[in-house]
Amino acid sequence: MSRAFVFPGQGSQAVGMGVDLAGAFTTARDVFGEVDEALGQNLSKLMREGPESDLTLTENAQPALMAVSVAVVRILEKDGGKPLPSLADYVAGHSLGEYSALAAAGALQLADAARLLKLRGQSMQKAVPVGVGAMAALLGIELEPAQEACKEAAQGQIVAVANDNGGGQVVVSGHKEAVERAIEAAKAKGCKRGMMLPVSAPFHCPLMQPAADAMKAALEGVALVPPRVPLVANVLAAEVSDPGAIKQRLVEQVTGLVRWREGVQYMKTKGIDTLVECGTGKVLSGLVKRIDKDMTGLALNTPSDIEAFLKTA
């Protein structure tokens, strides 16, 4: 069995996230404490108790998801005695999950990852006034017809494919009116269903350029070292280990397409047959079979998940 560790993106957060890990492992409590200290914020209390409306805010959800993901990997390493390179040949993360992957692989310090994600969330929120942008999921359509629908729907505004998640699930992002037009244009190209998503900003499209500029400046001041296992980057759908190249990909990722389907397929060509989702939720492990029926997805969310995994690892 050849594995990659993958890390979820925004939308997987939920009140109570990480509670059972913190209850079972000092290692998890230490991670959450370090993130709280880095942010000067009691984020772990918000994760534990809510309110959901505050946890869902981009600037809170992003570091919270990263904290739980890193806690899972550190538990495997410290409590399970299994170093990451012995468990996985690659790491990859969906959008913000790329920062989780880099922190888990030792390329980014945990405190730096937390602060960068806080800034990333704030910058993304500020980039476009609330109500101006939107995102929609198109179901039953592949990347190229979705891109054609976006071209037809733009009409002087911005709308672009934000995520190619695989299994006929494509997410588009941009000006609200253009996104609504893209849903209709996609239906004419065979899309079975289009639905607006409950997000606060149009992520992964050119409207996010102010946030990309903010991340470029912030990343210049952060130390980044080669990850212990290679990162499969969202915007490349290929591996990257050079710190300078990783920083550039993180900047491009703010406005660029998350090429998740292609990234998973790239890992398959490198012999990966199992994707292990570390953190909160089961979105990425659920997508695996839709991308490639020969691959397996596994989610490590709870202490029992971790204990069962360690018995086979």
Side-chain angles (χ1 to χ4, degrees), residues 187-204:
K187 284 177 182 170
K189 297 180 188 301
C191 173
K192 293 185 177 66
R193 189 176 170 211
M195 54 186 184
M196 302 296 275
L197 297 175
V199 294
S200 54
F203 307 132
H204 299 292

Side-chain angles (χ1 to χ4, degrees), residues 26-61:
T26 304
T27 303
R29 294 195 293 277
D30 289 346
V31 168
F32 300 157
E34 193 176 334
V35 169
D36 285 352
E37 189 176 339
L39 297 179
Q41 173 190 3
N42 197 341
L43 183 65
S44 56
K45 183 173 188 284
L46 180 59
M47 290 157 58
R48 204 166 51 241
E49 302 172 10
E52 187 178 5
S53 56
D54 287 356
L55 182 61
T56 304
L57 291 173
T58 305
E59 65 176 83
N60 292 325

Side-chain angles (χ1 to χ4, degrees), residues 7 16 40 74 93-94 116-117 135 141 146 162 195 229 239 263 296:
F7 300 86
R74 289 204 177 168
H94 195 286
L116 285 167
L117 284 173
M135 298 181 78
I141 193 170
M195 54 186 184
V229 298
E239 64 192 89
T296 301

